Amino acid sequence: MAEQQQASRQDRAAEVEIAISKMLRIGIVLAGLVIVVGLVLFLVTGDSGYPGDTFPTSLPEIWRGIVELKSVAIIEAGLILLILTPVFRVFVSMFAFIHEKDYSFVLISILVLVILALSFALGKVGA
Amino acid sequence: MNKGDVCLTATVIEILLIAILAGIVGSILGLGGGIVVTPALTLLFGVEINHAIGASLISVIATSSGSAVAYIRDRITNVRVGMFLEIATTVGAITGAFLAALIAPNFLYYIFALLLLYSAYAMVKKGKEEIPVNVPQHPVAEKLGLGGEYYDKALGKNIAYNVDRVYEGFGVMYGAGVVSGLLGIGSGSFKVMAMDVFMKMPLKVSTATSNFMMGVTAAASAGIYFLRGDIIPVISAPVALGVLIGATIGARIMQRLKSKTIRKLFIPIMIYVACQMIYQGWGA
């Protein structure tokens, strides 16, 4: 009985891990491709789309740059995808733990997300 | 293509190659690769320190996610330990960000340097030990199901392990978070130390789990750097791509290395980071 419990716990853990691993792969492949497209465009045209060494740092500006196919804006979109990947990873694991009814780890995931949101909000104020 | 473009392309390729190296080293040692990227960019390419840290954060995130794909698939990463300890590192990171604004950090630098030197010493003592033996399962580890098992490709067998001294490990992880918040780095050496020296986990599991965790704290700081304009796209793009490639290669190499070998690579780096911190404390 104890052995069975142990085995099912292992299986459930494996499902959470597969979900996290898949999510991470999608994140890095997507980010990598977008960065490659932007970087190649930048090197081939030699044009960042922005004057001098400047580049946009707000989401609306970057979005406008992407629509206008500006190389640096495309690179930035890829970098944003890369930065968001670990945060999404915590999200995905929260849902995976809910699915596996592993509530202590659902709580842990939520706690990490709240702390991350808090640190981002505080950082924004400081910056 | 004119001469300026050729130079630019050459620089991008050089950064890409260094980033591949950073990804390999970072994924094997659980350090995130910032340890290679920051000095390379500042010393070789004359990049400003703020921008180098921005690129280094990108490198930490890329190493973390890039190597985790393989480490989780091969069940080296202990996801539960990682997520549990992330509470400590994220709270620590916020504390660090506040401390940076409130106090002169030189005292903290000395404490952290001493902690690193102590754990370098503990690692030297463990030098001959390939896998931890006779480790009791801590009650908290039992309750949260933190213990685990992985297949060691260098030894060719399954290794089951327990997790000890959860509170001490949690405390050191908090310290690791404080260091991240203060310096804007991944502080992987502290994370590996918390798991390897304090919680008595196998070294390979410790470095893989350290890598896994590092992306989360780095992502929080990277968001702030991005809004400030400290993540320069043209520099960070080759760093991200190179590190992703390097981390994928490194995750394969690490599994075939003996823990003793990884330890031998790790100890001098810890001593180097400790000296750097003492030097920083001196300057501040």
Side-chain angles (χ1 to χ4, degrees):
Chain A
M1 188 63 196
E3 238 170 59
Q4 249 175 5
Q5 254 180 359
Q6 181 72 23
S8 80
R9 189 175 212 171
Q10 287 275 335
D11 285 351
R12 284 187 287 135
E15 278 175 40
V16 172
E17 287 172 11
I18 289 165
I20 294 175
S21 176
K22 266 191 192 153
M23 192 271 128
L24 287 172
R25 180 176 296 136
I26 294 169
I28 62 166
V29 168
L30 208 61
L33 284 176
V34 175
I35 294 172
V36 167
V37 169
L39 189 61
V40 169
L41 192 65
F42 173 69
L43 291 175
V44 169
T45 60
D47 180 21
S48 72
Y50 298 93
D53 288 337
T54 61
F55 54 87
T57 54
S58 77
L59 292 181
E61 277 177 277
I62 292 170
W63 177 245
R64 269 198 299 278
I66 296 169
V67 173
E68 291 164 19
L69 287 180
K70 292 184 175 181
S71 61
V72 161
I74 297 173
I75 292 177
E76 289 189 285
L79 292 172
I80 292 173
L81 285 175
L82 188 68
I83 293 171
L84 288 179
T85 298
V87 183
F88 273 126
R89 187 266 283 168
V90 184
F91 252 111
V92 167
S93 42
M94 178 182 74
F95 287 109
F97 285 126
I98 290 173
H99 186 71
E100 307 303 331
K101 298 190 171 59
D102 191 341
Y103 294 115
S104 48
F105 271 85
V106 173
L107 202 69
I108 288 172
S109 309
I110 293 172
L111 205 55
V112 172
L113 280 173
V114 169
I115 299 165
L116 277 177
L118 194 67
S119 86
F120 202 68
L122 293 172
K124 227 174 165 177
V125 173
Chain B
M1 212 185 238
N2 63 39
K3 208 175 162 195
D5 293 340
V6 178
C7 282
L8 189 62
T9 309
T11 308
V12 165
I13 291 172
E14 278 166 19
I15 295 180
L16 189 81
L17 291 176
I18 287 170
I20 292 176
L21 177 75
I24 294 175
V25 173
S27 62
I28 292 176
L29 299 179
L31 299 177
I35 202 160
V36 176
V37 166
T38 311
L41 287 180
T42 50
L43 300 177
L44 299 179
F45 297 94
V47 173
E48 267 178 66
I49 184 71
N50 268 6
H51 301 161
I53 294 176
S56 150
L57 283 168
I58 291 292
S59 130
V60 171
I61 296 169
T63 314
S64 173
S65 302
S67 64
V69 172
Y71 285 149
I72 294 176
R73 185 195 56 218
D74 297 339
R75 315 213 62 188
I76 314 284
T77 309
N78 190 319
V79 171
R80 300 170 78 85
V81 168
M83 301 219 42
F84 172 65
L85 294 176
E86 267 161 19
I87 300 172
T89 53
T90 45
V91 172
I94 295 182
T95 318
F98 271 104
L99 282 181
L102 285 178
I103 57 154
N106 36 348
F107 183 59
L108 281 169
Y109 278 118
Y110 292 135
I111 292 176
F112 292 136
L114 285 178
L115 198 57
L116 274 177
L117 289 176
Y118 162 73
S119 79
Y121 165 73
M123 275 199 172
V124 170
K125 269 205 320 195
K126 280 169 87 170
K128 288 206 171 59
E129 184 189 288
E130 182 60 29
I131 47 162
V133 283
N134 297 328
V135 176
Q137 185 89 299
H138 191 273
V140 176
E142 183 65 52
K143 195 158 170 259
L144 293 175
L146 298 184
E149 192 182 64
Y150 76 103
Y151 180 76
D152 196 309
K153 284 186 185 166
L155 302 175
K157 61 178 178 189
N158 273 316
I159 309 286
Y161 58 90
N162 285 338
V163 176
D164 192 20
R165 293 167 75 189
V166 172
Y167 297 129
E168 287 89 337
F170 201 82
V172 174
M173 276 296 172
Y174 174 75
V178 172
V179 176
S180 310
L182 270 178
L183 309 178
I185 56 167
S187 63
S189 40
F190 288 96
K191 293 192 172 80
V192 175
M193 169 170 78
M195 287 180 273
D196 177 75
V197 175
F198 288 89
M199 298 164 87
K200 307 261 168 60
M201 290 161 64
L203 185 60
K204 288 186 178 184
V205 177
S206 303
T207 66
T209 307
S210 162
N211 257 331
F212 172 71
M213 297 173 62
M214 222 177 288
V216 168
T217 23
S221 317
I224 296 159
Y225 272 71
F226 194 95
L227 294 170
R228 267 192 219 150
D230 279 334
I231 294 185
I232 310 288
V234 181
I235 297 170
S236 303
V239 166
L241 295 175
V243 168
L244 285 176
I245 297 167
T248 313
I249 301 169
R252 284 165 201 272
I253 298 174
M254 180 273 239
Q255 296 195 39
R256 300 186 182 280
L257 293 177
K258 288 218 164 175
S259 292
K260 284 182 227 171
T261 317
I262 299 172
R263 225 179 273 286
K264 274 182 203 146
L265 296 169
F266 205 96
I267 292 166
I269 289 183
M270 282 176 113
I271 295 171
Y272 166 77
V273 175
C275 292
Q276 216 184 22
M277 286 197 153
I278 292 171
Y279 177 76
Q280 293 253 8
W282 208 279

